[in-house]
Amino acid sequence: MGREIGAPLQVRVRKARQGANGQPFVLEVALEIPPGITILFGPSGAGKSTLLDCIAGLVRPETGSVRVGQETWFDSSAAIDIPVHQRQIGYVFQTLALFPHLTVEENIGYGITRLAAREQKQRIEEILNAFKIGGLRTRKPGEISGGEAQRVELARALVTEPRVLLLDEPMTGLDEELKAHIIEDLRAWRTARQIPILYVTHSRIEAQALGDHAITMRAGIAVPE
């Protein structure tokens, strides 16, 4: 099946679990997320990260479905559950997960080793330039700043050309100037590639700078704004 341009992400899932306070918690959402950046708001424990994990395949819902356009990643009624590595998802967590023994260039290229060498090189060069980190290519994570590491993390997620991008508070701990520069780069990338992006943040500044749409989570329920 060819890749659909501008395909929406459709999520209809139910997942029960134990909440952080030890009380039962149920995530129950029905959303259609269009291409562009959708901001996901809500207090801690509202279900934001659980929703992202259900989409990514890290958590299996009890019932429901996850689809991108005509492609089904999960459907409880049809016993479909596509493995995480086959879902073409970019996922950036709040805690950085760069490989400390690899250079910046090797970290970015880690997820595209299946591609021909020429295409690998082209994609890496494009993403290094897009996020202005070409000068860091030979350095290792311990030799770069927090803001630079966050750029590398985003570049590594995006170089795979994902169909969906999940960002779970990706700029926590960075100062406002660094955030502004990364936001500028992410906005440019969003304009060039129309895919659904779910962005978890508590920052109204980030939301106003990036968000095309917004969803508020409360006690496992998602309410589009």
PDB file of all heavy atoms in Angstrom, residues 118-146:
ATOM      1  N   ARG A 118      23.301   5.391   0.048  1.00  0.00           N
ATOM      2  CA  ARG A 118      23.125   6.719  -0.539  1.00  0.00           C
ATOM      3  C   ARG A 118      21.921   7.434   0.067  1.00  0.00           C
ATOM      4  O   ARG A 118      21.982   8.623   0.380  1.00  0.00           O
ATOM      5  CB  ARG A 118      22.952   6.599  -2.055  1.00  0.00           C
ATOM      6  CG  ARG A 118      22.828   7.939  -2.768  1.00  0.00           C
ATOM      7  CD  ARG A 118      22.805   7.742  -4.267  1.00  0.00           C
ATOM      8  NE  ARG A 118      22.687   9.005  -4.969  1.00  0.00           N
ATOM      9  CZ  ARG A 118      22.676   9.128  -6.301  1.00  0.00           C
ATOM     10  NH1 ARG A 118      22.798   8.044  -7.057  1.00  0.00           N
ATOM     11  NH2 ARG A 118      22.548  10.310  -6.862  1.00  0.00           N
ATOM     12  N   GLU A 119      20.807   6.696   0.260  1.00  0.00           N
ATOM     13  CA  GLU A 119      19.621   7.316   0.847  1.00  0.00           C
ATOM     14  C   GLU A 119      19.842   7.638   2.320  1.00  0.00           C
ATOM     15  O   GLU A 119      19.386   8.675   2.816  1.00  0.00           O
ATOM     16  CB  GLU A 119      18.397   6.404   0.692  1.00  0.00           C
ATOM     17  CG  GLU A 119      17.113   7.086   1.167  1.00  0.00           C
ATOM     18  CD  GLU A 119      15.861   6.298   0.878  1.00  0.00           C
ATOM     19  OE1 GLU A 119      15.946   5.226   0.235  1.00  0.00           O
ATOM     20  OE2 GLU A 119      14.766   6.757   1.299  1.00  0.00           O
ATOM     21  N   GLN A 120      20.555   6.761   3.037  1.00  0.00           N
ATOM     22  CA  GLN A 120      20.891   7.059   4.429  1.00  0.00           C
ATOM     23  C   GLN A 120      21.633   8.387   4.527  1.00  0.00           C
ATOM     24  O   GLN A 120      21.283   9.247   5.338  1.00  0.00           O
ATOM     25  CB  GLN A 120      21.779   5.954   5.012  1.00  0.00           C
ATOM     26  CG  GLN A 120      21.089   4.647   5.311  1.00  0.00           C
ATOM     27  CD  GLN A 120      22.052   3.662   5.964  1.00  0.00           C
ATOM     28  OE1 GLN A 120      22.761   4.007   6.891  1.00  0.00           O
ATOM     29  NE2 GLN A 120      22.080   2.439   5.458  1.00  0.00           N
ATOM     30  N   LYS A 121      22.653   8.539   3.714  1.00  0.00           N
ATOM     31  CA  LYS A 121      23.470   9.753   3.751  1.00  0.00           C
ATOM     32  C   LYS A 121      22.638  10.992   3.434  1.00  0.00           C
ATOM     33  O   LYS A 121      22.752  12.025   4.100  1.00  0.00           O
ATOM     34  CB  LYS A 121      24.627   9.627   2.753  1.00  0.00           C
ATOM     35  CG  LYS A 121      25.554  10.846   2.722  1.00  0.00           C
ATOM     36  CD  LYS A 121      26.714  10.616   1.783  1.00  0.00           C
ATOM     37  CE  LYS A 121      27.590  11.847   1.673  1.00  0.00           C
ATOM     38  NZ  LYS A 121      28.140  12.278   2.967  1.00  0.00           N
ATOM     39  N   GLN A 122      21.766  10.880   2.417  1.00  0.00           N
ATOM     40  CA  GLN A 122      20.933  12.019   2.022  1.00  0.00           C
ATOM     41  C   GLN A 122      19.988  12.427   3.141  1.00  0.00           C
ATOM     42  O   GLN A 122      19.858  13.618   3.464  1.00  0.00           O
ATOM     43  CB  GLN A 122      20.136  11.664   0.767  1.00  0.00           C
ATOM     44  CG  GLN A 122      19.236  12.814   0.286  1.00  0.00           C
ATOM     45  CD  GLN A 122      18.457  12.425  -0.958  1.00  0.00           C
ATOM     46  OE1 GLN A 122      18.773  11.449  -1.640  1.00  0.00           O
ATOM     47  NE2 GLN A 122      17.422  13.197  -1.258  1.00  0.00           N
ATOM     48  N   ARG A 123      19.333  11.441   3.761  1.00  0.00           N
ATOM     49  CA  ARG A 123      18.392  11.761   4.849  1.00  0.00           C
ATOM     50  C   ARG A 123      19.114  12.384   6.037  1.00  0.00           C
ATOM     51  O   ARG A 123      18.621  13.348   6.641  1.00  0.00           O
ATOM     52  CB  ARG A 123      17.653  10.497   5.296  1.00  0.00           C
ATOM     53  CG  ARG A 123      16.605  10.017   4.325  1.00  0.00           C
ATOM     54  CD  ARG A 123      15.647   9.107   5.073  1.00  0.00           C
ATOM     55  NE  ARG A 123      14.778   8.352   4.191  1.00  0.00           N
ATOM     56  CZ  ARG A 123      13.805   7.555   4.613  1.00  0.00           C
ATOM     57  NH1 ARG A 123      13.610   7.400   5.921  1.00  0.00           N
ATOM     58  NH2 ARG A 123      13.042   6.900   3.776  1.00  0.00           N
ATOM     59  N   ILE A 124      20.265  11.821   6.393  1.00  0.00           N
ATOM     60  CA  ILE A 124      21.007  12.346   7.538  1.00  0.00           C
ATOM     61  C   ILE A 124      21.453  13.772   7.286  1.00  0.00           C
ATOM     62  O   ILE A 124      21.334  14.640   8.158  1.00  0.00           O
ATOM     63  CB  ILE A 124      22.209  11.426   7.859  1.00  0.00           C
ATOM     64  CG1 ILE A 124      21.709  10.093   8.419  1.00  0.00           C
ATOM     65  CG2 ILE A 124      23.149  12.097   8.863  1.00  0.00           C
ATOM     66  CD1 ILE A 124      22.793   9.040   8.558  1.00  0.00           C
ATOM     67  N   GLU A 125      21.963  14.045   6.077  1.00  0.00           N
ATOM     68  CA  GLU A 125      22.409  15.405   5.755  1.00  0.00           C
ATOM     69  C   GLU A 125      21.236  16.388   5.814  1.00  0.00           C
ATOM     70  O   GLU A 125      21.375  17.504   6.336  1.00  0.00           O
ATOM     71  CB  GLU A 125      23.047  15.440   4.367  1.00  0.00           C
ATOM     72  CG  GLU A 125      24.400  14.764   4.273  1.00  0.00           C
ATOM     73  CD  GLU A 125      25.422  15.359   5.231  1.00  0.00           C
ATOM     74  OE1 GLU A 125      25.466  16.600   5.369  1.00  0.00           O
ATOM     75  OE2 GLU A 125      26.170  14.588   5.848  1.00  0.00           O
ATOM     76  N   GLU A 126      20.088  15.982   5.284  1.00  0.00           N
ATOM     77  CA  GLU A 126      18.921  16.868   5.279  1.00  0.00           C
ATOM     78  C   GLU A 126      18.477  17.203   6.704  1.00  0.00           C
ATOM     79  O   GLU A 126      18.176  18.358   7.013  1.00  0.00           O
ATOM     80  CB  GLU A 126      17.773  16.212   4.508  1.00  0.00           C
ATOM     81  CG  GLU A 126      17.970  16.209   2.998  1.00  0.00           C
ATOM     82  CD  GLU A 126      16.838  15.504   2.268  1.00  0.00           C
ATOM     83  OE1 GLU A 126      15.961  14.924   2.953  1.00  0.00           O
ATOM     84  OE2 GLU A 126      16.830  15.524   1.019  1.00  0.00           O
ATOM     85  N   ILE A 127      18.438  16.194   7.583  1.00  0.00           N
ATOM     86  CA  ILE A 127      17.935  16.444   8.939  1.00  0.00           C
ATOM     87  C   ILE A 127      18.976  17.191   9.769  1.00  0.00           C
ATOM     88  O   ILE A 127      18.625  18.012  10.624  1.00  0.00           O
ATOM     89  CB  ILE A 127      17.514  15.121   9.618  1.00  0.00           C
ATOM     90  CG1 ILE A 127      16.451  15.385  10.693  1.00  0.00           C
ATOM     91  CG2 ILE A 127      18.678  14.383  10.196  1.00  0.00           C
ATOM     92  CD1 ILE A 127      15.097  15.711  10.170  1.00  0.00           C
ATOM     93  N   LEU A 128      20.270  16.947   9.548  1.00  0.00           N
ATOM     94  CA  LEU A 128      21.306  17.720  10.229  1.00  0.00           C
ATOM     95  C   LEU A 128      21.177  19.199   9.882  1.00  0.00           C
ATOM     96  O   LEU A 128      21.297  20.071  10.761  1.00  0.00           O
ATOM     97  CB  LEU A 128      22.694  17.205   9.840  1.00  0.00           C
ATOM     98  CG  LEU A 128      23.157  15.884  10.448  1.00  0.00           C
ATOM     99  CD1 LEU A 128      24.430  15.396   9.764  1.00  0.00           C
ATOM    100  CD2 LEU A 128      23.393  16.012  11.938  1.00  0.00           C
ATOM    101  N   ASN A 129      20.936  19.476   8.616  1.00  0.00           N
ATOM    102  CA  ASN A 129      20.780  20.868   8.186  1.00  0.00           C
ATOM    103  C   ASN A 129      19.489  21.472   8.714  1.00  0.00           C
ATOM    104  O   ASN A 129      19.470  22.627   9.156  1.00  0.00           O
ATOM    105  CB  ASN A 129      20.813  20.952   6.650  1.00  0.00           C
ATOM    106  CG  ASN A 129      22.181  20.647   6.082  1.00  0.00           C
ATOM    107  OD1 ASN A 129      23.202  20.868   6.756  1.00  0.00           O
ATOM    108  ND2 ASN A 129      22.237  20.134   4.860  1.00  0.00           N
ATOM    109  N   ALA A 130      18.399  20.686   8.699  1.00  0.00           N
ATOM    110  CA  ALA A 130      17.097  21.213   9.121  1.00  0.00           C
ATOM    111  C   ALA A 130      17.124  21.639  10.584  1.00  0.00           C
ATOM    112  O   ALA A 130      16.495  22.636  10.962  1.00  0.00           O
ATOM    113  CB  ALA A 130      16.002  20.170   8.898  1.00  0.00           C
ATOM    114  N   PHE A 131      17.851  20.884  11.423  1.00  0.00           N
ATOM    115  CA  PHE A 131      17.899  21.203  12.851  1.00  0.00           C
ATOM    116  C   PHE A 131      19.208  21.871  13.270  1.00  0.00           C
ATOM    117  O   PHE A 131      19.498  21.996  14.453  1.00  0.00           O
ATOM    118  CB  PHE A 131      17.632  19.938  13.682  1.00  0.00           C
ATOM    119  CG  PHE A 131      16.172  19.579  13.719  1.00  0.00           C
ATOM    120  CD1 PHE A 131      15.611  18.799  12.726  1.00  0.00           C
ATOM    121  CD2 PHE A 131      15.353  20.062  14.721  1.00  0.00           C
ATOM    122  CE1 PHE A 131      14.255  18.492  12.736  1.00  0.00           C
ATOM    123  CE2 PHE A 131      13.997  19.763  14.748  1.00  0.00           C
ATOM    124  CZ  PHE A 131      13.451  18.979  13.751  1.00  0.00           C
ATOM    125  N   LYS A 132      19.984  22.286  12.256  1.00  0.00           N
ATOM    126  CA  LYS A 132      21.192  23.108  12.482  1.00  0.00           C
ATOM    127  C   LYS A 132      22.175  22.449  13.443  1.00  0.00           C
ATOM    128  O   LYS A 132      22.704  23.072  14.360  1.00  0.00           O
ATOM    129  CB  LYS A 132      20.797  24.500  12.998  1.00  0.00           C
ATOM    130  CG  LYS A 132      19.823  25.244  12.100  1.00  0.00           C
ATOM    131  CD  LYS A 132      19.431  26.596  12.690  1.00  0.00           C
ATOM    132  CE  LYS A 132      18.450  27.336  11.807  1.00  0.00           C
ATOM    133  NZ  LYS A 132      17.135  26.692  11.747  1.00  0.00           N
ATOM    134  N   ILE A 133      22.433  21.155  13.212  1.00  0.00           N
ATOM    135  CA  ILE A 133      23.343  20.420  14.085  1.00  0.00           C
ATOM    136  C   ILE A 133      24.445  19.720  13.290  1.00  0.00           C
ATOM    137  O   ILE A 133      25.088  18.793  13.787  1.00  0.00           O
ATOM    138  CB  ILE A 133      22.579  19.375  14.938  1.00  0.00           C
ATOM    139  CG1 ILE A 133      21.662  18.500  14.053  1.00  0.00           C
ATOM    140  CG2 ILE A 133      21.777  20.052  16.039  1.00  0.00           C
ATOM    141  CD1 ILE A 133      20.939  17.395  14.819  1.00  0.00           C
ATOM    142  N   GLY A 134      24.696  20.191  12.070  1.00  0.00           N
ATOM    143  CA  GLY A 134      25.734  19.584  11.242  1.00  0.00           C
ATOM    144  C   GLY A 134      27.108  19.628  11.888  1.00  0.00           C
ATOM    145  O   GLY A 134      27.916  18.715  11.718  1.00  0.00           O
ATOM    146  N   GLY A 135      27.374  20.674  12.655  1.00  0.00           N
ATOM    147  CA  GLY A 135      28.672  20.814  13.304  1.00  0.00           C
ATOM    148  C   GLY A 135      28.893  19.857  14.452  1.00  0.00           C
ATOM    149  O   GLY A 135      30.006  19.775  14.993  1.00  0.00           O
ATOM    150  N   LEU A 136      27.845  19.132  14.833  1.00  0.00           N
ATOM    151  CA  LEU A 136      27.945  18.212  15.971  1.00  0.00           C
ATOM    152  C   LEU A 136      28.121  16.763  15.536  1.00  0.00           C
ATOM    153  O   LEU A 136      28.203  15.878  16.385  1.00  0.00           O
ATOM    154  CB  LEU A 136      26.682  18.307  16.838  1.00  0.00           C
ATOM    155  CG  LEU A 136      26.248  19.688  17.336  1.00  0.00           C
ATOM    156  CD1 LEU A 136      24.929  19.569  18.100  1.00  0.00           C
ATOM    157  CD2 LEU A 136      27.322  20.305  18.216  1.00  0.00           C
ATOM    158  N   ARG A 137      28.182  16.490  14.264  1.00  0.00           N
ATOM    159  CA  ARG A 137      28.045  15.118  13.748  1.00  0.00           C
ATOM    160  C   ARG A 137      29.033  14.132  14.362  1.00  0.00           C
ATOM    161  O   ARG A 137      28.709  12.959  14.533  1.00  0.00           O
ATOM    162  CB  ARG A 137      28.150  15.115  12.229  1.00  0.00           C
ATOM    163  CG  ARG A 137      29.504  15.460  11.676  1.00  0.00           C
ATOM    164  CD  ARG A 137      29.567  15.244  10.158  1.00  0.00           C
ATOM    165  NE  ARG A 137      28.768  16.207   9.432  1.00  0.00           N
ATOM    166  CZ  ARG A 137      27.841  15.874   8.539  1.00  0.00           C
ATOM    167  NH1 ARG A 137      27.571  14.613   8.292  1.00  0.00           N
ATOM    168  NH2 ARG A 137      27.170  16.799   7.907  1.00  0.00           N
ATOM    169  N   THR A 138      30.249  14.574  14.673  1.00  0.00           N
ATOM    170  CA  THR A 138      31.252  13.636  15.190  1.00  0.00           C
ATOM    171  C   THR A 138      31.307  13.591  16.714  1.00  0.00           C
ATOM    172  O   THR A 138      32.075  12.824  17.292  1.00  0.00           O
ATOM    173  CB  THR A 138      32.647  14.000  14.661  1.00  0.00           C
ATOM    174  OG1 THR A 138      32.993  15.323  15.117  1.00  0.00           O
ATOM    175  CG2 THR A 138      32.671  13.967  13.139  1.00  0.00           C
ATOM    176  N   ARG A 139      30.487  14.394  17.383  1.00  0.00           N
ATOM    177  CA  ARG A 139      30.502  14.417  18.847  1.00  0.00           C
ATOM    178  C   ARG A 139      29.580  13.338  19.420  1.00  0.00           C
ATOM    179  O   ARG A 139      28.644  12.895  18.778  1.00  0.00           O
ATOM    180  CB  ARG A 139      30.062  15.786  19.362  1.00  0.00           C
ATOM    181  CG  ARG A 139      30.980  16.922  18.948  1.00  0.00           C
ATOM    182  CD  ARG A 139      30.584  18.197  19.636  1.00  0.00           C
ATOM    183  NE  ARG A 139      31.233  19.358  19.033  1.00  0.00           N
ATOM    184  CZ  ARG A 139      31.027  20.610  19.432  1.00  0.00           C
ATOM    185  NH1 ARG A 139      30.182  20.846  20.426  1.00  0.00           N
ATOM    186  NH2 ARG A 139      31.645  21.607  18.834  1.00  0.00           N
ATOM    187  N   LYS A 140      29.854  12.980  20.660  1.00  0.00           N
ATOM    188  CA  LYS A 140      29.013  12.029  21.372  1.00  0.00           C
ATOM    189  C   LYS A 140      28.094  12.785  22.336  1.00  0.00           C
ATOM    190  O   LYS A 140      28.371  13.945  22.670  1.00  0.00           O
ATOM    191  CB  LYS A 140      29.881  11.004  22.101  1.00  0.00           C
ATOM    192  CG  LYS A 140      30.618  10.095  21.120  1.00  0.00           C
ATOM    193  CD  LYS A 140      31.397   9.012  21.818  1.00  0.00           C
ATOM    194  CE  LYS A 140      32.065   8.087  20.801  1.00  0.00           C
ATOM    195  NZ  LYS A 140      32.874   7.030  21.445  1.00  0.00           N
ATOM    196  N   PRO A 141      26.999  12.170  22.784  1.00  0.00           N
ATOM    197  CA  PRO A 141      26.023  12.873  23.628  1.00  0.00           C
ATOM    198  C   PRO A 141      26.628  13.555  24.848  1.00  0.00           C
ATOM    199  O   PRO A 141      26.170  14.632  25.249  1.00  0.00           O
ATOM    200  CB  PRO A 141      25.047  11.760  24.025  1.00  0.00           C
ATOM    201  CG  PRO A 141      25.070  10.835  22.857  1.00  0.00           C
ATOM    202  CD  PRO A 141      26.500  10.830  22.391  1.00  0.00           C
ATOM    203  N   GLY A 142      27.648  12.979  25.439  1.00  0.00           N
ATOM    204  CA  GLY A 142      28.264  13.592  26.608  1.00  0.00           C
ATOM    205  C   GLY A 142      29.055  14.842  26.304  1.00  0.00           C
ATOM    206  O   GLY A 142      29.488  15.549  27.229  1.00  0.00           O
ATOM    207  N   GLU A 143      29.212  15.142  25.016  1.00  0.00           N
ATOM    208  CA  GLU A 143      30.012  16.298  24.594  1.00  0.00           C
ATOM    209  C   GLU A 143      29.161  17.444  24.061  1.00  0.00           C
ATOM    210  O   GLU A 143      29.697  18.416  23.540  1.00  0.00           O
ATOM    211  CB  GLU A 143      31.016  15.863  23.519  1.00  0.00           C
ATOM    212  CG  GLU A 143      31.968  14.776  23.982  1.00  0.00           C
ATOM    213  CD  GLU A 143      32.797  14.186  22.852  1.00  0.00           C
ATOM    214  OE1 GLU A 143      32.337  14.202  21.688  1.00  0.00           O
ATOM    215  OE2 GLU A 143      33.909  13.687  23.140  1.00  0.00           O
ATOM    216  N   ILE A 144      27.835  17.325  24.181  1.00  0.00           N
ATOM    217  CA  ILE A 144      26.954  18.377  23.675  1.00  0.00           C
ATOM    218  C   ILE A 144      26.015  18.853  24.782  1.00  0.00           C
ATOM    219  O   ILE A 144      25.849  18.189  25.798  1.00  0.00           O
ATOM    220  CB  ILE A 144      26.136  17.904  22.439  1.00  0.00           C
ATOM    221  CG1 ILE A 144      25.245  16.713  22.810  1.00  0.00           C
ATOM    222  CG2 ILE A 144      27.069  17.531  21.299  1.00  0.00           C
ATOM    223  CD1 ILE A 144      24.385  16.202  21.655  1.00  0.00           C
ATOM    224  N   SER A 145      25.389  20.016  24.570  1.00  0.00           N
ATOM    225  CA  SER A 145      24.507  20.604  25.579  1.00  0.00           C
ATOM    226  C   SER A 145      23.134  19.937  25.567  1.00  0.00           C
ATOM    227  O   SER A 145      22.804  19.169  24.651  1.00  0.00           O
ATOM    228  CB  SER A 145      24.344  22.097  25.317  1.00  0.00           C
ATOM    229  OG  SER A 145      23.571  22.314  24.137  1.00  0.00           O
ATOM    230  N   GLY A 146      22.326  20.286  26.587  1.00  0.00           N
ATOM    231  CA  GLY A 146      20.976  19.740  26.651  1.00  0.00           C
ATOM    232  C   GLY A 146      20.123  20.139  25.461  1.00  0.00           C
ATOM    233  O   GLY A 146      19.372  19.330  24.918  1.00  0.00           O
TER     234      GLY A 146
END
